[in-house]
Amino acid sequence: MTKVNIYYGGRGLIEDPTIYVMNKITEVLNELNVVVQRYNLYEDKKGISVLPKTLKEADAIILAASVEWFGIGGLLQQFLDACFLYGDKKTLQSLYMMPVVLSTTYGERDAALQLTKAWDLLGGHPCDGISAYVADHEAFEAEPNYKGFIEKRVELFYRTFSGKICTLPSSDNLVQDTVSRPSTIDLTPQESEQLSEYVSNDNYVKKQKEDIQELSEIFRNLLGDEPIEAPDNKDTYIDAFSRHFHSMSDTTVCYALDIMDEERTLYLLAADQRLTCSYKLTEVKEPDVSIKIKSALLKQIITGRTTLQTAFRQGNLVAKGDFKILRTFDELFRFA
């Protein structure tokens, strides 16, 4: 049994003239013993990505658009994108397509041309379609000449796809293997269909994002971003700075490390070749340098994977105060 699929990208409004034309097309094709299946894209927006697999059931298709202000609209564009990403290329190359575009504003011919060019790039066979500007849908539906034109155009479309009439080549066909090749790995038609089903499944996509985040945490820990446990239950930061302190004569400086995500400030006071580490400022009133830093970056510094100066130059931390004293930080604390 011959079958034609109609993919309707409008909003389903009662006054939409595209609906009238689709109904008339269905009547004519039914008289020609053709089964017509209509897919209203607005009814299942999340399922658009799996619709390309329905192309295998059809001998020809009709892409129907309603131009209400500009272009074919997002739903039909989304369907064409899904055909490009997940559609079976051999199926697309054998399908005849008729564009149907009705406009209540402007641009019906541009929209029909857009559908024609899109189907060309997909490798299919675009046929002459129906495009019209409709100011009054009731007057349009009542005009017998318009009805006759639609019937003749559908009959021509039927003869074209049923007889497998050859279509003339287009320059778009020449670039479909290069310009219109998806930048993804090669997949079989079955894998493409399965991928489209996964994409349309919100729960699956959410689970994949959670898995990716979990894997990121695992690899981050393997690279050394896990919390550093200090011996004897000492504070991680105080223990690290105490062990890597190199005194400098005639030097008295105070650094305030504001660890933003831990909401605490570590004060490092180097005076008389002695280091005092504390989360309370006691011996001096104001630090010479105040540094805002995240705990992950601070852990990279105390494990020798980067230096304070490098992080400062890269803009990964914020510092204010005496920048000459800031430069002595990596000399006082040598983690490398």
Side-chain angles (χ1 to χ4, degrees):
M1 179 82 59
T2 305
K3 184 177 181 181
V4 171
N5 287 352
I6 299 177
Y7 300 91
Y8 169 57
R11 294 190 294 155
L13 302 178
I14 296 177
E15 63 271 18
D16 186 353
T18 307
I19 296 178
Y20 164 75
V21 175
M22 290 190 298
N23 291 337
K24 184 56 62 179
I25 291 174
T26 301
E27 291 178 10
V28 175
L29 290 176
N30 287 340
E31 292 175 358
L32 296 170
N33 294 322
V34 176
V35 176
V36 179
Q37 175 70 52
R38 184 191 300 181
Y39 294 93
N40 297 322
L41 303 185
Y42 67 89
E43 292 180 348
D44 186 14
K45 298 178 182 179
K46 294 182 180 179
I48 292 178
S49 58
V50 301
L51 282 181
K53 67 180 182 181
T54 62
L55 297 173
K56 291 183 177 182
E57 309 165 356
D59 297 283
I61 71 165
I62 294 171
L63 298 180
S66 301
V67 179
E68 297 184 52
W69 78 281
F70 184 79
I72 63 175
L75 296 179
L76 201 52
Q77 181 64 57
Q78 189 176 343
F79 171 71
L80 291 170
D81 290 342
C83 291
F84 176 67
L85 294 171
Y86 312 120
D88 181 4
K89 299 301 182 287
K90 290 184 178 180
T91 299
L92 292 170
Q93 291 170 4
S94 65
L95 276 179
Y96 289 77
M97 185 278 297
M98 181 175 76
V100 173
V101 181
L102 280 296
S103 169
T104 56
T105 172
Y106 171 79
E108 68 282 352
R109 291 187 178 180
D110 291 339
L113 179 60
Q114 181 182 355
L115 293 176
T116 298
K117 292 181 66 176
W119 205 250
D120 254 336
L121 287 171
L122 289 171
H125 303 282
C127 302
D128 292 335
I130 299 171
S131 62
Y133 165 70
V134 179
D136 184 345
H137 73 95
E138 293 182 353
F140 179 80
E141 296 173 11
E143 175 58 53
N145 291 328
Y146 297 158
K147 177 183 176 181
F149 176 86
I150 295 170
E151 292 174 348
K152 294 297 182 184
R153 185 53 57 92
V154 176
E155 291 172 0
L156 176 62
F157 177 57
Y158 172 77
R159 288 195 293 269
T160 301
F161 75 78
S162 62
K164 303 294 181 183
I165 296 177
C166 179
T167 57
L168 295 176
S170 166
S171 59
D172 291 331
N173 297 132
L174 300 177
V175 299
Q176 63 179 328
D177 292 332
T178 54
V179 177
S180 62
R181 179 179 298 168
S183 56
T184 57
I185 58 175
D186 292 329
L187 300 175
T188 64
Q190 293 77 14
E191 290 171 336
S192 294
E193 289 182 8
Q194 190 67 41
L195 179 59
S196 69
E197 293 179 4
Y198 289 150
V199 170
S200 65
N201 189 327
D202 289 342
N203 292 330
Y204 176 82
V205 173
K206 181 180 179 181
K207 182 65 167 60
Q208 289 300 301
K209 290 181 178 178
E210 292 174 352
D211 290 345
I212 291 172
Q213 185 176 2
E214 183 179 349
L215 287 172
S216 299
E217 292 295 331
I218 292 174
F219 283 110
R220 187 178 295 113
N221 292 339
L222 291 175
L223 291 173
D225 285 347
E226 70 280 356
I228 302 172
E229 298 295 336
D232 301 327
N233 295 323
K234 294 182 180 179
D235 181 87
T236 300
Y237 305 127
I238 292 178
D239 179 68
F241 281 107
S242 299
R243 288 188 293 107
H244 293 84
F245 174 66
H246 289 72
S247 62
M248 298 174 63
S249 59
D250 300 327
T251 300
T252 300
V253 296
C254 181
Y255 302 95
L257 300 179
D258 181 5
I259 310 171
M260 296 181 290
D261 48 337
E262 295 184 3
E263 298 183 352
R264 57 179 178 167
T265 302
L266 175 63
Y267 297 94
L268 306 174
L269 174 61
D272 299 328
Q273 299 186 355
R274 182 173 60 88
L275 177 68
T276 301
C277 302
S278 174
Y279 289 101
K280 293 182 179 181
L281 186 61
T282 57
E283 299 188 33
V284 295
K285 292 183 179 181
E286 293 292 337
D288 298 298
V289 178
S290 296
I291 302 169
K292 290 185 178 293
I293 191 170
K294 292 184 177 180
S295 60
L297 178 58
L298 183 56
K299 291 169 185 175
Q300 291 181 20
I301 292 174
I302 65 178
T303 54
R305 297 201 299 277
T306 188
T307 64
L308 186 84
Q309 282 297 315
T310 300
F312 179 67
R313 287 195 299 268
Q314 293 175 346
N316 295 329
L317 57 83
V318 178
K320 65 178 181 178
D322 191 333
F323 287 98
K324 290 183 180 179
I325 295 178
L326 177 67
R327 287 195 291 270
T328 65
F329 183 94
D330 293 325
E331 297 179 25
L332 288 171
F333 305 101
R334 302 174 188 177
F335 297 103

